[in-house]
Amino acid sequence: MFLGEDFLIWLVLALGGAMAVGNFLALVRPAEKQHREGDLERAPVARSAVFIVVGLVAAVWAIASLVSG
């Protein structure tokens, strides 16, 4: 397989972790200034919470897949 047998699992781990951490940081530390007109002052809490959960599920699934086999 191209780039190893566990490439897809590592990719899911990286993307899930980035999704969870990025949305968590967007909630905890919003941008200090707006870059464009129409930007939100802070990230929507419900959407960010859903993305955090989805990212964590993907990352945990990937870690479990790497450990189990």
Side-chain angles (χ1 to χ4, degrees):
M1 180 176 205
F2 181 68
L3 296 175
E5 292 294 321
D6 296 333
F7 178 69
L8 184 59
I9 298 171
W10 285 106
L11 189 61
V12 169
L13 176 62
L15 293 176
M19 178 185 266
V21 170
N23 281 287
F24 176 75
L25 290 177
L27 284 178
V28 172
R29 200 173 132 203
E32 294 178 6
K33 64 175 185 171
Q34 293 180 345
H35 296 287
R36 294 179 301 222
E37 188 173 329
D39 282 351
L40 299 174
E41 290 182 21
R42 50 179 285 136
V45 177
R47 183 184 70 189
S48 296
V50 170
F51 286 166
I52 291 169
V53 170
V54 170
L56 283 176
V57 167
V60 168
W61 169 79
I63 291 170
S65 294
L66 287 170
V67 169
S68 68

